[in-house]
Amino acid sequence: MSDTLPDHRGPGFPSGPAEVDLVQLLTPEGERVDHPDYAFDGDDAAIAGFYRDMLLTRRVDTEATALQRQGELGLWASCLGQEAAQIGSGRALGPLDSVFPTYREHGVAWTLGVDPVNLLKLFRGVSHGSWDPIDTRFNLYTIVIGAQTLHATGYAMGLERDGLVGHGSPEKDAAVIGYLGDGATSQGDVSEAFVFASSYNAPIVFFCQNNQWAISEPIERQSRIPLYQRAAGFGFPGVRVDGNDALAVHAVTSKALERARSGSGPTLIEAYTYRMGAHTTSDDPTKYRLADELEHWRLKDPIARVRAYLERHTDTGPDWFAAIDAEADELAADVRSRCLALPDPDLAGLFDVVYADTPVHLREQRAEYEAYRDSFTEAGQDAAATGTEVAW
Amino acid sequence: MSDTLPDHRGPGFPSGPAEVDLVQLLTPEGERVDHPDYAFDGDDAAIAGFYRDMLLTRRVDTEATALQRQGELGLWASCLGQEAAQIGSGRALGPLDSVFPTYREHGVAWTLGVDPVNLLKLFRGVSHGSWDPIDTRFNLYTIVIGAQTLHATGYAMGLERDGLVGHGSPEKDAAVIGYLGDGATSQGDVSEAFVFASSYNAPIVFFCQNNQWAISEPIERQSRIPLYQRAAGFGFPGVRVDGNDALAVHAVTSKALERARSGSGPTLIEAYTYRMGAHTTSDDPTKYRLADELEHWRLKDPIARVRAYLERHTDTGPDWFAAIDAEADELAADVRSRCLALPDPDLAGLFDVVYADTPVHLREQRAEYEAYRDSFTEAGQDAAATGTEVAW
Amino acid sequence: MTRLTMAKALNAGLRRALEADPKVVLAGEDIGKLGGVFRVTEGLQKDFGEARVIDSPLAESGIIGTAVGMALRGYRPVCEIQFDGFVFPAFDQIVNQVAKMHYRSRGRVRMPMVIRIPFGGGIGAVEHHSESPETYFAHTAGLKVVACSNPVDAYWMIQQAVASDDPVVFLEPKRRYHERAEVDEQASPVPLHSATVVRPGRDLTLLAYGPMVKTCLDAAAAAAEEGRDLEVVDLRSLSPLDLATVVGSVQRTGRAVVVHEAPLNLGMGAELSARITEQCFYALEAPVLRVGGYDMPYPPSRVEDEYLPDLDRVLDAVDRSLAY
Amino acid sequence: MTRLTMAKALNAGLRRALEADPKVVLAGEDIGKLGGVFRVTEGLQKDFGEARVIDSPLAESGIIGTAVGMALRGYRPVCEIQFDGFVFPAFDQIVNQVAKMHYRSRGRVRMPMVIRIPFGGGIGAVEHHSESPETYFAHTAGLKVVACSNPVDAYWMIQQAVASDDPVVFLEPKRRYHERAEVDEQASPVPLHSATVVRPGRDLTLLAYGPMVKTCLDAAAAAAEEGRDLEVVDLRSLSPLDLATVVGSVQRTGRAVVVHEAPLNLGMGAELSARITEQCFYALEAPVLRVGGYDMPYPPSRVEDEYLPDLDRVLDAVDRSLAY
Ligand SMILES: Cc1ncc(C[n+]2csc(CCOP(=O)(O)OP(=O)(O)O)c2C)c(N)n1
Ligand SMILES: Cc1ncc(C[n+]2csc(CCOP(=O)(O)OP(=O)(O)O)c2C)c(N)n1
Ligand SMILES: [Mg+2]
Ligand SMILES: [Mg+2]
C-alpha cells in the first residue's frame, strides 16, 4: 500500500485565482468599481450604516470571545472577518423575508434586531435557543451542519403555498435565505435542499459563506472547483461574490432575493470570505494553517475598506467614527453585564417543554426531580411550592 | 392557500429535446453514425455478442416476470428496455474492474457471469444476496436507494491505495462502476459520493440509468435540467449517452473507465433510456403514465436496433437469430426449473451469519429456536442433531 | 357505519384531516397519482391538489427536513415513508430536528408533524421492507410514537395524530392493511395515547401493538379453549406508554408477556418489563416474558414465518409464565 | 508502564493498530493535522501518511459509506464521528449497510469497521455534543457496541475493536478523556466483550459503563463509609452483553441498580432489567432500579449536572433498592 497518494487532479480543473469570477463593487482599498450585472442601490448613508453594523457586530464578537476566555461562556464561534457577508446580506432582507442561520450568523442576527445577549445564552449554556424565531424572522441557530437548509427550503415551499410569491413587491412577497458554510456543501442534506428547492422552484436564496475552512479542513477537501458552480448542476444559478465587500454582497443578495420573491426560484450565493479567527474558542488554528494566510486576508478586511471609502469619498469625519467606537464600547459593556447577570436555568422547567402536550411520565419525572432537588435545600419546599419556571 | 402552484420555472432552464446532447453511434433504425468524441472499438462479432447478451437478458427477465406471476417469486424488478445500457456498460469492464449495482442490473450481472438463478433467489425470498460478490466482482444488490454509490467510491479509494491506478493498462489498473437510477440522484448519499469521489479523485464511473421514472415519479420531479450536468458542479465531467444504443454506451463507458483507471478521476454517465415495464411486478404504471410514452420508446428498442444493424450490414442470417432464440428459451427453461427446485432456507443457519464471531446470546437463540421448531416435528431431533446449515 | 380495510380507513381519516384544516399537507414518494405503494393516499391528490398532496423527490431526509420548514411556517405535514427500512436516511432530521425543535425553542415553535411508516413483516417482501423500527423512535425524547392495529383505530388515530401539536411517528402494520372492520364515523374515539384492554382476562396479560394484537387475540382465543383466561392489551401508544392501563392489568393478573416483531434486545418488551417490574414487583408471579423477533436482521421472506412471533410462540411463553 | 490519559491511551492503541496491520485506515473530520477535536489521532497522519489517516469531507454518511467500500476492498477502517449528536446523518449507512452486510452476504464479506464516537455529557458543551446514543446501536442486530471507562481499557479495547471482524461502535466517554492511569503495554487484556467486576461487594450490584463507572465507584466508596458493600460491574460491552457476569453478580447480591446517562426510556437499563428479572427472578430482593438521564433531550450545559446521574442519585436508588 502506498503511503501517500499521487495527486491525480484531472485535466480541466485548475482553480485559477479565486478572484476571477468574483463580483466586487468596493475594492480592499475602498474604491468603488462597476460590475456589468450588479450595482449597489444604496447611498452613502446606507454605507455608513453598514460600517456601524459591522463595527458593532465585531465589537460584540470580541466581547464574547473575551467572556469565553474568562469562563463566562462555554464556547464562542466568532464571525470575525465575515461581517460584510453577514451585514451585506442581512440588510438586503425585505420585511417579510426570513432567515435560517447556522451558528455563526451573529451579524445577520444583528440586522434583524436579535438581542446579542440572546446569542450568548446559547454559548453560555443557559439555553439552546432563546430568541423568538417567529417575531424576529431569524430562526434558531442550527448546529447540525446543513440541516437548516432543508428547513429553509420547506419554509419557502410554505411561502409559495401561502401565496406570498410573485406580486412584484417586497411588501407583499416573501423569500427565505438559508445560510451555510463551505464545509456544509458536502452534507447530503444540502444537496437535497438544492434538489427540493429546484424541483418546487422555491423562493429561496442559499447563502454560502466560503470562509475557506471547515474547522481544520481547507475548502479543497470539500470541492476542487468554485462552490458557486455547484448550483448549475441542480438547475439554478450560482454566483460568487466578494464576501468581504458589503456593497457587492448587498447587491447580489438583493437581486437573488428579488428573483426568489418574484417566483423565479432559487439562487446559490457563494460569499468568498475568510474566517479570521479560530473555528471556535476551542480551536487552535496554528495546528493546521499558516499565519501568512491570515496576513493576506487582513489586507482585505471588510470593515477597513468601508472605512477607507467613507474617509476618502464622503465627508464622514473622525468624530463620527469615534462616536461609533463609543457606541460599540457601550454596547459591549451592556452585553457583558447582562450576560453576567443571566440566571442559570432551572431543570424543572425543561420537563414541560419537551412536548406541547406533556405526558404523564414527564410530569412524574419533574415531580421526582423537584422532590429530590429539594431534599438537599432547606428552602426547597418553598421553591417547589411556587413552581419555579425555566428562566432563560 | 392556493390549490395548485403556478409553474415558476425560471428563465434559462428550458430542457429542450433530450436528444440534443446525446452521444449516439447506432440509430434506432440500425444505422451507425459518427460522433466527434466517441467511437465504438469493437467489430461486428462484438456487436453480435451484444445482441446475444441483450436477448438472453431479456429472455431471463421475461421468465422471471412469469415466475412472479405464478407465485414463484415474491417480486421482480424488470430491466426491460434497459438492456443496451447494461450490456454496453458491463461489456466495457476490464478484468480488474468491479461493479456496485442497484437491484435492477440483471444485464450487468450477466456480463460478469452471475448465475441468473442467484438473482432470482433474492426476489424469491430465499436469500438477501446469494452470489459471491468477491469472485464475480459484482457486488450484492443494494435496495436502499443510493447507498451503494458511497460503497463504490470507498472501494475505488481502496483501489488507489492498493496502487491499482495509473499504470496505463486495464490488466494492471482497476476502476469501479457504480450504478444508480434517475431517482437516486436526489438522495444525499449520491451527492456525498460525488463529493468524496471528486475530493479524492477516485477511480470511479457513476453510471446513471435515467429510465425516466422513479416508480411513479417522472424525472422532472428530481431534476429540471439534464442529469449528466449534475457532475460539473462537483468538479468532474458528465456525459449523456443514448442508453438504448449498446455501441454508444460501450464507447462512452470504456472511455470513462479508462479515464478512471489512468488516475484522472470520476465521470458521471447518464444513460438516457426508458423503463419499458412496470417499476416492479407490484407496480401498476397505468395509474401514472400514458401508453403513448411507451409506444414512443418502443420504436427505440435497444435490441431491435442491433438486430436491424446485423441484418442489414452484416451477413448474419435468420439461422443465427433462430439459434440465439433457441439458446434463450433453453436458458429460460433451465433458470425456471432450477428456481422451482430452490430449497427454502433454514432459519437456524441465519443465527450464525449475523456476525463473523457469533455471540453467546445468538447461539442460545439458535438452540431455543431449534428446540422449539423440533417440538413440532417427529423427525425434529435428527435434524437438530445434524445441525442443518442454511441452504440458500 | 362503513366496512373498511385499514388502508381505506387511513385514507378516509387523512381525507377528513385534509378537509378539517387547510394547513394539513401530505408529502412523500409516490403518494400523488399512484396513491402510495399501499394506496393509502389514493385519490387525495386528485381532490386536494398538488400543493397539498406532494410527490417528493426521492430523498427521505429532504422529505422530513422540508416538512420541518413547512411546520415552522404553520403547516401540519403528514409525511409518508414508503417502507420501514427507508426511514433511516431521515433519521438525523427526525432525531435532531423534529424531536428537538419544540424543546430547543422552549415551546415557542411546534412540530405538528406526522411521520407515517408502514412497518413490520409478513408480506413476503425483499430486504428492508419488513422491519420494526419503533425502539429507535420510542427512545427519542420529543417524539410520540403510536401504532394502530385495526381499521377503527386507524381511522381515528390518524386524525388524532394530525391534530396533535407534537410530532407523532405513526406506525401502520402493513400486513393488516387489508383486514376489514366496521368503522363508525360518528363514534367518539379513545384518546390517542391510551391503551385499551381489547380482551379482558384474569390469568395473564398479553401486551402487544400493531400487527401482534391480532396474533395475541388469536392466542387468547386458543388458550381459552384450554381454560386459560388471557387479557390482551393493545398498547396503541408506544411513547408515551399508558402505564396506568398496563400496570392495572398486571396487578390483577400477576403475569405479563410482551409480544412484538422487533428484535428482543432493547425492543419495547425491555422497557415494559422494566416498568412493570418496578411498579408491580410484589404482584408478579413470574418475570415478565418477551416474545419478539430474534436478534438478527429481518430474514429472507421464505423464512419470515419462522422468525415472526406467532400464536404458538405466544402460547409457549404463556405456558412458561404460568409454570412459575 | 506509562501513565496516560484516556485520550493518549486511545492514541497509543490506534498507533499500535496502524503499525500492526497495513490495512488499518483512519477516517473522519479533522483527524489529520488537527489530530481530531479531542486530539485522539494526534500525530498519526504525520507518521502514517494521508492515505491511511484520512481527513474526510464534512459528511458523516459519506464517511461511513465509503468506509463500507474500503472494508469490501479488504481495509479495516476506523471512523471517527466528531461528536455523538453527529452520528445520525450516518445512521442509514450504519443500520442498513454496516450492520447487515455480513448477514446479507451470508458471511461472504466482512465489515471489520470501528466507529469511534466520543459520547456523553459533562463537558459544558452546546447542543448535540453531550448525547448518549448507545440504545440506537445496541438495538441494531449486526453491530457490536462497547464503551471504555478508563485509560487501560481504552488502550486495549480500541486495538481489540480494530482486530474484530465485526463492526464495532466504540463509545468513548469524552468527559473522561483527560483522566489518567498507568497503562501496562505488556499486560494481557480482558476479552473485548467481557464485563468486569471493578469492585466486589455483597449488598447490591451497580451496573454501569463508560462515564458512569467512575460515578458508581465513587458512590460505592461513599456507601462503604456507611457500611454498605456495593459491587460495581463495568459492562464494557453493551452488545453483546456479558450476561454471565451480570447474572452471577446479581444472583449473589440480590439487588441491582443500572446507571447510565442516556434517557431512561429504552435505555440500556431497560434491557438489563428485563434480562436480570428473567434470569434471577427468585434471587431478586427488589426490582432492578434504573438511574438515567431524564426523558428529555440533553439540556443546556448550565443545568447538565442536575440532569446527569451523580453520586447522590445513585445512592438514592441504592437506598430505595435496599428498602425493599
Ligand atoms: C453533522 C455535523 N457534523 C460535524 C459537526 C462538527 N462541526 C461543527 S462546525 C464544523 C465545520 C463547519 O464548517 P463550515 O460549514 O465551513 O462552516 P464554518 O464553521 O466555517 O462557518 C464541524 C465539522 C457538526 N456540527 N455537524
Ligand atoms: C432510501 C429508499 N427510499 C425509497 C425506496 C423505495 N424505492 C424503491 S425503488 C424506488 C424508485 C427508484 O427510482 P430510480 O432511482 O430512478 O431507479 P429505477 O427503479 O427507475 O431503476 C423507490 C422510491 C428505497 N428503495 N430506498
Ligand atoms: Mg467554513
Ligand atoms: Mg428510474
Side-chain angles (χ1 to χ4, degrees), chain D residues 7 14 28 58 71 82 141 171 238 292 305 318:
Chain D
L14 287 169
L58 209 177
Q82 202 161 72
L171 299 168
L238 307 186
D305 290 344
V318 168

Side-chain angles (χ1 to χ4, degrees), chain D residues 17-47:
Chain D
L18 283 159
E19 283 163 358
D21 185 346
K23 290 296 188 184
V24 173
V25 290
L26 274 46
E29 295 156 9
D30 306 295
I31 68 165
K33 280 193 188 154
L34 184 63
V37 295
F38 292 107
R39 307 293 185 269
V40 169
T41 57
E42 183 139 51
L44 299 178
Q45 189 181 66
K46 192 167 140 284
D47 295 343

Side-chain angles (χ1 to χ4, degrees), chain D residues 76-89:
Chain D
R76 305 183 82 86
V78 183
C79 302
E80 175 173 307
I81 298 292
Q82 202 161 72
F83 283 91
D84 31 62
F86 306 139
V87 71
F88 299 114

Side-chain angles (χ1 to χ4, degrees), chain D residues 71-153:
Chain D
L72 292 173
R73 181 71 209 160
Y75 286 84
R76 305 183 82 86
V78 183
C79 302
E80 175 173 307
I81 298 292
Q82 202 161 72
F83 283 91
D84 31 62
F86 306 139
V87 71
F88 299 114
F91 203 68
D92 176 57
Q93 284 287 347
I94 296 174
V95 167
N96 274 335
Q97 304 301 332
V98 175
K100 298 196 170 97
M101 199 63 92
H102 185 273
Y103 184 78
R104 184 181 300 149
S105 72
R106 303 154 307 135
R108 182 65 179 104
V109 302
R110 296 186 164 179
M111 274 292 122
M113 189 190 301
V114 179
I115 302 174
R116 292 182 41 237
I117 311 179
F119 87 124
I123 63 157
V126 294
E127 204 186 348
H128 310 294
H129 290 69
S130 308
E131 298 174 13
S132 297
E134 55 268 27
T135 284
Y136 300 115
F137 303 112
H139 179 58
T140 305
L143 299 178
K144 292 180 172 173
V145 185
V146 304
C148 55
S149 69
N150 62 71
V152 177
D153 277 358

Side-chain angles (χ1 to χ4, degrees), chain B residues 4-348:
Chain B
T4 48
L5 299 173
D7 186 15
H8 286 306
R9 302 247 161 141
F13 299 107
S15 56
E19 287 75 9
V20 167
D21 36 17
L22 203 69
V23 178
Q24 190 180 71
L25 299 176
L26 183 68
T27 69
E29 296 73 31
E31 300 303 320
R32 292 182 68 165
V33 288
D34 286 336
H35 188 279
D37 302 323
Y38 297 96
F40 176 64
D41 64 3
D43 55 14
D44 285 344
I47 298 177
F50 290 175
Y51 177 84
R52 175 175 169 274
D53 288 337
M54 292 196 287
L55 197 102
L56 297 186
T57 296
R58 185 171 290 186
R59 187 63 189 84
V60 168
D61 193 86
T62 312
E63 196 65 27
T65 300
L67 281 163
Q68 195 281 335
R69 294 280 173 247
Q70 292 151 13
E72 296 297 338
L73 302 181
L75 186 81
W76 180 249
S78 165
C79 66
L80 187 71
Q82 300 177 218
E83 295 88 353
Q86 298 194 8
I87 298 301
S89 59
R91 287 293 176 208
L93 294 166
L96 302 181
D97 298 340
S98 25
V99 175
F100 285 79
T102 72
Y103 41 80
R104 206 189 283 287
E105 272 68 70
H106 318 316
V108 184
W110 170 259
T111 66
L112 286 169
V114 174
D115 181 348
V117 174
N118 280 332
L119 304 177
L120 266 56
K121 285 182 188 166
L122 189 156
F123 293 96
R124 187 174 168 89
V126 302
S127 160
H128 288 327
S130 56
W131 56 92
D132 188 315
I134 300 170
D135 291 351
T136 60
R137 295 179 286 122
F138 186 75
N139 281 275
L140 295 184
Y141 275 179
T142 298
I143 292 177
V144 180
I145 299 293
Q148 76 285 355
T149 58
L150 281 168
H151 308 165
T153 303
Y155 194 94
M157 290 166 63
L159 290 178
E160 181 148 31
R161 280 165 179 73
D162 289 339
L164 288 171
V165 168
H167 304 96
S169 143
E171 312 297 321
K172 289 191 191 148
D173 294 329
V176 171
I177 185 163
Y179 286 86
L180 63 149
D182 47 296
T185 58
S186 295
Q187 277 293 357
D189 270 10
V190 172
S191 290
E192 294 190 10
F194 291 175
V195 168
F196 278 68
S198 180
S199 185
Y200 299 116
N201 209 49
I204 184 167
V205 175
F206 295 104
F207 193 96
C208 176
Q209 288 170 81
N210 176 0
N211 64 7
Q212 314 297 324
W213 292 93
I215 309 188
S216 74
E217 299 192 4
I219 174 63
E220 290 75 26
R221 177 82 294 152
Q222 322 289 342
S223 181
R224 55 187 192 182
I225 61 165
L227 282 177
Y228 76 92
Q229 296 179 11
R230 184 72 55 85
F234 290 89
F236 58 93
V239 52
R240 178 181 271 190
V241 62
D242 181 345
N244 287 12
D245 172 353
L247 278 58
V249 170
H250 188 273
V252 166
T253 310
S254 298
K255 195 161 174 177
L257 284 168
E258 180 46 37
R259 194 182 121 86
R261 288 188 216 103
S262 75
S264 300
T267 304
L268 169 65
I269 297 174
E270 178 191 2
Y272 199 79
T273 179
Y274 191 72
R275 195 193 78 205
M276 292 180 72
H279 169 69
T280 64
T281 47
S282 299
D283 180 38
D284 174 9
T286 63
K287 291 228 163 213
Y288 53 82
R289 71 183 188 189
L290 301 171
D292 280 10
E293 194 181 279
L294 186 56
E295 284 316 310
H296 170 75
W297 280 91
R298 248 195 254 284
L299 302 175
K300 308 189 190 184
D301 188 289
I303 301 186
R305 72 174 78 176
V306 175
R307 181 166 181 142
Y309 169 78
L310 291 172
E311 285 176 341
R312 283 189 219 161
H313 299 286
T314 72
D315 52 11
T316 318
D319 289 358
W320 187 85
F321 290 109
I324 302 283
D325 285 341
E327 184 186 358
D329 287 338
E330 217 170 295
L331 173 64
D334 175 57
V335 165
R336 161 175 290 264
S337 71
R338 287 192 295 129
C339 173
L340 298 185
L342 287 173
D344 277 351
D346 179 1
L347 186 69

Side-chain angles (χ1 to χ4, degrees), chain A residues 64-84:
Chain A
T65 299
L67 282 163
Q68 195 282 336
R69 294 279 174 249
Q70 292 151 13
E72 296 297 338
L73 302 181
L75 186 81
W76 180 249
S78 165
C79 67
L80 187 71
Q82 300 178 216
E83 295 88 352

Side-chain angles (χ1 to χ4, degrees), chain A residues 8-348:
Chain A
H8 286 308
R9 302 247 163 141
F13 298 107
S15 56
E19 287 75 8
V20 168
D21 36 16
L22 203 69
V23 178
Q24 191 181 70
L25 298 177
L26 184 68
T27 69
E29 295 73 31
E31 300 303 320
R32 292 181 68 165
V33 288
D34 285 337
H35 188 280
D37 301 324
Y38 297 96
F40 176 63
D41 64 2
D43 55 14
D44 285 344
I47 299 177
F50 289 175
Y51 177 83
R52 173 175 171 273
D53 288 337
M54 293 196 287
L55 197 103
L56 297 187
T57 295
R58 185 171 289 186
R59 187 63 188 84
V60 169
D61 193 87
T62 313
E63 196 64 27
T65 299
L67 282 163
Q68 195 282 336
R69 294 279 174 249
Q70 292 151 13
E72 296 297 338
L73 302 181
L75 186 81
W76 180 249
S78 165
C79 67
L80 187 71
Q82 300 178 216
E83 295 88 352
Q86 299 195 7
I87 298 301
S89 59
R91 287 293 175 207
L93 294 167
L96 301 181
D97 298 340
S98 25
V99 175
F100 285 79
T102 72
Y103 41 80
R104 206 188 284 286
E105 272 69 69
H106 318 316
V108 184
W110 170 260
T111 67
L112 286 168
V114 174
D115 181 348
V117 174
N118 280 332
L119 305 176
L120 266 57
K121 285 182 189 169
L122 189 155
F123 293 96
R124 186 173 168 90
V126 302
S127 161
H128 287 327
S130 57
W131 56 93
D132 188 315
I134 300 171
D135 292 350
T136 60
R137 295 179 286 122
F138 186 75
N139 282 275
L140 296 183
Y141 275 179
T142 298
I143 292 178
V144 180
I145 299 293
Q148 78 285 356
T149 58
L150 281 168
H151 309 165
T153 303
Y155 194 94
M157 289 165 62
L159 290 178
E160 181 148 29
R161 278 164 180 73
D162 289 340
L164 288 170
V165 168
H167 303 97
S169 143
E171 312 297 321
K172 291 190 189 149
D173 293 329
V176 171
I177 186 163
Y179 287 86
L180 63 149
D182 46 297
T185 59
S186 295
Q187 278 291 358
D189 270 9
V190 172
S191 290
E192 293 190 10
F194 290 175
V195 168
F196 277 68
S198 179
S199 185
Y200 299 115
N201 210 49
I204 184 167
V205 175
F206 296 104
F207 193 96
C208 176
Q209 288 170 81
N210 176 359
N211 65 7
Q212 314 297 325
W213 292 92
I215 309 188
S216 73
E217 300 193 4
I219 174 63
E220 290 74 25
R221 177 81 296 153
Q222 323 288 342
S223 181
R224 55 187 192 181
I225 60 165
L227 282 177
Y228 75 91
Q229 296 178 11
R230 184 72 55 86
F234 289 90
F236 57 93
V239 54
R240 178 181 271 190
V241 63
D242 181 344
N244 287 12
D245 171 354
L247 278 57
V249 170
H250 188 273
V252 167
T253 309
S254 298
K255 196 161 173 177
L257 284 168
E258 181 45 38
R259 195 182 120 86
R261 288 189 215 103
S262 76
S264 299
T267 303
L268 169 65
I269 297 173
E270 177 191 1
Y272 200 79
T273 179
Y274 191 72
R275 196 194 77 205
M276 291 180 73
H279 169 69
T280 64
T281 47
S282 300
D283 181 39
D284 174 9
T286 63
K287 291 230 162 211
Y288 54 81
R289 71 182 188 188
L290 301 172
D292 280 8
E293 194 181 279
L294 185 56
E295 284 315 312
H296 169 76
W297 280 90
R298 250 195 252 284
L299 301 175
K300 307 189 190 186
D301 188 290
I303 301 185
R305 70 175 80 178
V306 175
R307 179 165 183 143
Y309 170 78
L310 290 172
E311 285 177 340
R312 283 190 219 160
H313 299 286
T314 72
D315 52 11
T316 317
D319 289 357
W320 187 84
F321 289 109
I324 303 282
D325 285 341
E327 184 186 0
D329 287 338
E330 216 170 295
L331 173 62
D334 175 57
V335 164
R336 161 175 290 265
S337 71
R338 287 192 296 129
C339 173
L340 298 184
L342 287 172
D344 278 351
D346 179 2
L347 186 69

